């Protein structure tokens, strides 16, 4: 577990103001630690240039699932206990059905597990709640307070947040 | 293209984000109404009756059902297919509309998915009980055993069914739950009592709503959706192959997979409509489930009903065109006319004729009529499965094998039990879970507002 760090947090009550604030903070070269929103906002994801590799993981799982399921079917029906009935081939085309379904099954399951592992979330995980309204109708910009920051830097951040429409500015220890 | 304003305003009443939270959470924060307890009591009674019937079946065996050597599939399989059909709508609704980026899904998807999960549980009960010796149910899974090791038949649609339905259950339940995590976090943050905060805190998996989490969340949901969409089609195609790969007259036909998939979506959408009309009325959600939503579902039903009509006509045509005595007998002397005329024509009237009333705007606008027709469709879809299973089995190729089938009280009570389980599921859902996807509603709010 990484340690929590002190953050300057600007709370907003409007999506447009939030996006505007992100832009002006970035133009001043201030590094935004994170943004918390009650619903997904694509503008925020684009502005922070966030990317995810989950689709690649899913593709990998899919390929693995196809190979693994076929290998299992082949091994059981051809190698381990070959049953001859009606002259039908043992390695048959109808394996496709089970392979198809199991690919979906394994890929879905592994993708979800990956999602939770990457997110470090799971049943009973205690949330590090920054502000109560962030799952309702408010938005937050988190800026990490670094050791090298001068008093001027800090007041600049505060002023900029206020100018761009933050309704509240707090300092709080937050886990990254 | 999806940005065109075909649908109009999706959330009426010029809501703010805060109002959406308050509105969706209202039923969870209010005192439990009296009708909830009354309905729950009734449903529990029904479930107890069902449990009695299940115990009866397990203790005394399948002999307690009205089955015989000819009609080996009766109510058990009828109701299994019926429930699976209903269980199709949630995922079909949610996932097809998600990958097609239809924003109007947001008010309805949560309820539809919840319905799916409960319906699939109800469906799964029937084949399990039908096995007779339920304590050996694990034989259907391929595992190394001391019988050879003898593996299951990987080429049997019955085995495909096991794989497909368990995958379907897992995928829809996960999809539903994952979609709910941000909303459970909202419940956690609003909770006033410590116990409630602890419970919803546990269930919300530590969700905060960071930008990166949202990105991963949406990506994972889309991948899961993309994977489950073909699954929806596969599941009911496989269910139809339970029938179509046999040589029974009336079953052995290639139209079965598409016919079953469409039929399943048909009954499921009808059930969504029934539930949404009730929820909308009881919880005063007219601003969220607008007339536009209900109108859209009614239009889809009209279209699907036409496909159903085409499927019925195709079956009859192919039976006649095949010039095969058995097929012709089944369709023309045992369905259209003969002992099962009533069931056949009930099916046609309910599924093909009544939904055509939705062509009229006045009927689509009259919610009482929409509600009645949505129930009629589900009755019709039940009769469809009855017609398929019973007419083909009672009179097969050898007249010496012809037999009569009528369900026993045990079979009827199991069905009543599953209906009650479904009702209990719905009641728990509306009481303890945000009925609509708040985070998704908030996401679409801005672009569908009047201004």
């Amino acid at each position: 577990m990484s340690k929590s760090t002190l953050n300057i947090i600007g709370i907003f009550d409007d999506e447009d103001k939030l996006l505007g604030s992100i832009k002006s903070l970035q133009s001043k070269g201030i590094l935004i630690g994170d943004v918390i929103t009650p619903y997904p906002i694509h503008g925020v994801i684009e502005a922070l240039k966030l990317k995810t590799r989950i689709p690649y993981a899913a593709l990998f799982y899919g390929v693995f699932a196809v190979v693994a399921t076929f290998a299992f079917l082949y091994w059981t029906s051809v190698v381990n206990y070959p049953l001859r009935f009606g002259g039908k081939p043992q390695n048959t085309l109808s394996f496709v059905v089970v392979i198809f379904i199991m690919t979906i099954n394994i890929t879905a399951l592994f993708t979800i597990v990956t999602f939770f592992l990457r997110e470090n979330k799971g049943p009973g995980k205690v949330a590090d709640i920054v502000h109560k309204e962030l799952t309702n109708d408010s938005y937050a910009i988190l800026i990490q307070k670094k050791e090298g920051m001068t008093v001027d830097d800090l007041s600049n951040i505060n002023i900029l947040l206020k100018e761009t429409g933050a309704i509240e500015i707090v300092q709080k220890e937050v886990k990254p | 293209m999806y940005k065109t304003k075909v649908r109009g305003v999706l959330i009426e009443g010029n809501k703010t984000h805060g109002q959406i939270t308050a509105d969706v959470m209202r039923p969870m924060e209010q005192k439990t109404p009296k009708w909830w307890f009354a309905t729950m009591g009734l449903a529990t009674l029904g479930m107890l009756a069902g449990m009695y019937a299940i115990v009866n079946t397990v203790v005394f065996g399948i002999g307690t059902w009205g089955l015989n050597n000819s009609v080996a599939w009766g109510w058990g399989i009828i109701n299994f297919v019926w429930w699976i059909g209903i269980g199709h709508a949630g995922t079909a609704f949610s996932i097809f509309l998600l990958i097609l980026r239809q924003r109007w899904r947001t008010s309805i998807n949560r309820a539809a998915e919840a319905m799916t999960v409960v319906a699939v549980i109800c469906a799964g009960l029937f084949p399990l009980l039908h096995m007779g010796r339920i304590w050996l149910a694990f034989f259907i899974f391929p595992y190394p055993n001391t019988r050879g090791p003898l593996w299951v038949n990987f080429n049997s649609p019955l085995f495909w069914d096991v794989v497909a339905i368990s995958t379907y259950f897992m995928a829809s339940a996960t999809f539903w739950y994952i979609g709910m995590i941000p909303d459970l976090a909202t419940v956690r943050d609003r909770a006033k009592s410590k116990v409630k905060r602890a419970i919803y805190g546990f269930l919300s998996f530590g969700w905060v709503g960071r930008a990166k989490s949202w990105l991963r969340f949406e990506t994972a949901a889309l991948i899961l959706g993309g994977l489950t969409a073909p699954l929806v089609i596969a599941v009911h195609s496989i269910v139809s192959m339970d029938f179509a790969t046999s040589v029974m007259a009336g079953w052995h036909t290639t139209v079965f997979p598409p016919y079953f998939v469409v039929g399943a979506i048909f009954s499921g959408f009808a059930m969504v409509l029934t539930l949404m009309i009730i929820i909308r009325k009881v919880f005063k959600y007219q601003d969220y489930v607008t007339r536009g939503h209900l109108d859209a579902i009614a239009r889809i039903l009209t279209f699907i009903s036409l496909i159903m009509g085409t499927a019925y006509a195709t079956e009859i045509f192919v039976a006649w065109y095949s010039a095969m005595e058995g097929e012709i007998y089944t369709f023309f002397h045992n369905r259209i006319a003969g002992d099962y005329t009533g069931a056949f024509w009930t099916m046609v009237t309910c599924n093909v004729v009544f939904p055509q009333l939705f062509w009229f705007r006045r009927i689509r606008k009259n919610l009482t009529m929409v509600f009645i027709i949505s129930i009629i469709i589900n009755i019709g879809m039940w009769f469809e499965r009855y017609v398929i299973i019973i007419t083909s089995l009672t009179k097969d190729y050898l007249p010496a094998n012809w037999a009569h089938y009528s369900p026993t009280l045990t079979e009827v009570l199991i069905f009543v039990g599953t209906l009650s389980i479904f009702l209990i599921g719905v009641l728990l859902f509306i009481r303890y879970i945000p009925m609509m996807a708040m985070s998704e509603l908030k996401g679409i709010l801005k672009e569908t507002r009047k201004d």
Side-chain angles (χ1 to χ4, degrees), chain A residues 16 34-37 39 42 51 73 76 80-81 94 105 119 121-122 124-125 127 132 135-136 139 174-175, chain B residues 17 21 149 151 154-155 167 186 188-189 202 205-206 209-214 216 218 224 439 442 446:
Chain A
D16 293 327
D34 214 334
V35 177
I36 299 178
T37 57
Y39 54 91
H42 293 161
K51 289 215 164 58
L73 292 176
T76 50
N80 188 243
Y81 199 102
S94 59
N105 188 323
E119 277 293 304
K121 286 187 171 55
K125 173 97 197 297
K132 282 245 179 265
T135 50
N136 178 19
Y139 316 82
V174 180
K175 280 181 192 147
Chain B
H17 292 132
T21 316
W151 297 98
F154 294 108
N155 301 317
T167 303
T186 310
R188 171 198 69 200
D189 290 352
F202 183 87
F205 286 22
R210 290 164 183 272
K212 184 93 189 201
S213 306
W214 278 119
R216 286 186 184 135
E218 285 206 304
L224 209 54
S439 63
K442 289 172 192 167
K446 219 168 149 195

Side-chain angles (χ1 to χ4, degrees), chain B residues 334-368:
Chain B
N334 206 24
R335 289 189 188 179
I336 296 175
D339 289 348
Y340 294 95
T341 323
F344 177 82
W345 289 107
T346 310
M347 163 187 109
V348 172
T349 328
C350 292
N351 293 344
V352 184
V353 180
F354 274 111
Q356 296 311 314
L357 291 172
F358 283 145
W359 282 101
F360 302 102
R361 188 186 293 268
R362 272 179 60 188
I363 289 182
R364 287 203 311 273
K365 289 236 179 294
N366 183 342
L367 286 190
T368 319

Side-chain angles (χ1 to χ4, degrees), chain B residues 40-355:
Chain B
M40 195 59 155
L42 213 64
T44 312
L45 277 181
M47 190 180 70
L48 287 176
M51 277 165 77
Y52 160 76
I54 288 173
V55 169
N56 204 21
T57 305
V58 173
V59 172
F60 297 103
I62 295 299
T64 51
W65 293 9
L67 305 173
N68 48 57
N69 275 346
S70 297
V71 189
W73 283 0
W75 270 50
I77 302 299
I78 296 170
N79 294 324
F80 159 69
V81 181
W82 189 70
W83 276 120
I84 278 286
I86 289 171
H88 255 62
T91 316
F93 203 101
S94 193
I95 286 168
F96 287 137
L97 297 183
L98 173 77
I99 50 182
L100 294 172
R101 301 190 192 273
Q102 290 290 319
R103 301 274 170 131
W104 59 279
R105 68 188 271 282
T106 48
S107 311
I108 302 173
N109 65 343
R110 174 73 45 81
E113 287 164 24
M115 195 187 86
T116 292
V117 174
V118 189
V120 175
I121 293 173
C122 292
L125 265 177
F126 287 101
L128 268 179
L129 290 171
H130 211 317
M131 287 176 178
R133 285 180 277 179
I134 197 170
W135 52 93
L136 297 179
F138 63 91
F139 274 24
I140 55 174
F141 291 108
Y143 64 96
N145 54 61
T146 51
R147 299 184 291 276
L150 188 61
W151 297 98
V152 295
N153 182 2
F154 294 108
N155 301 317
S156 159
L158 294 175
F159 174 72
W160 299 344
D161 244 353
V162 174
V163 181
I165 289 168
S166 43
T167 303
Y168 184 66
F169 176 70
M170 185 210 73
S172 1
T174 327
F175 189 72
W176 176 63
Y177 194 84
I178 297 225
M180 216 152 63
I181 288 176
D183 285 0
L184 292 174
T186 310
V187 183
R188 171 198 69 200
D189 290 352
R190 274 174 75 93
K192 293 204 173 68
S193 80
K194 255 190 180 161
V195 181
K196 198 173 171 186
R197 196 177 311 134
I199 292 173
Y200 285 96
F202 183 87
L203 294 175
S204 61
F205 286 22
W207 182 265
V208 180
R210 290 164 183 272
K212 184 93 189 201
S213 306
W214 278 119
L215 173 66
R216 286 186 184 135
F217 174 85
E218 285 206 304
T219 314
L222 204 59
I223 291 172
L224 209 54
L227 285 169
T228 320
L231 186 63
V232 173
I233 294 168
V235 170
H236 227 75
S237 298
I238 290 172
V239 170
S240 83
M241 283 179 216
D242 292 345
F243 301 92
T245 54
S246 75
V247 288
M248 293 301 296
W251 290 4
H252 192 56
T253 166
T254 45
V255 79
F256 257 39
Y259 162 36
F260 265 54
V261 171
V262 170
I265 295 173
F266 190 49
S267 65
F269 268 48
M271 191 60 110
V272 169
L273 199 55
T274 315
L275 276 185
M276 284 329 284
I277 292 175
I278 298 174
I279 287 178
R280 178 182 193 266
K281 178 92 183 158
V282 171
F283 296 104
K284 299 190 177 63
Y285 279 153
Q286 283 89 342
D287 288 340
Y288 298 96
V289 184
T290 62
R291 287 196 172 257
H293 284 97
L294 301 176
D295 194 63
I297 303 179
R299 282 163 192 247
I300 293 174
L301 284 175
T302 324
F303 176 62
I304 302 180
S305 150
L306 287 174
I307 305 182
M308 294 306 290
T310 315
Y312 296 153
T314 311
E315 267 196 317
I316 294 167
F317 170 77
V318 171
W320 167 79
Y321 192 65
S322 70
M324 193 199 151
E325 218 175 314
E327 290 281 337
I328 291 175
Y329 179 83
T330 302
F331 280 95
F332 292 92
H333 301 289
N334 206 24
R335 289 189 188 179
I336 296 175
D339 289 348
Y340 294 95
T341 323
F344 177 82
W345 289 107
T346 310
M347 163 187 109
V348 172
T349 328
C350 292
N351 293 344
V352 184
V353 180
F354 274 111

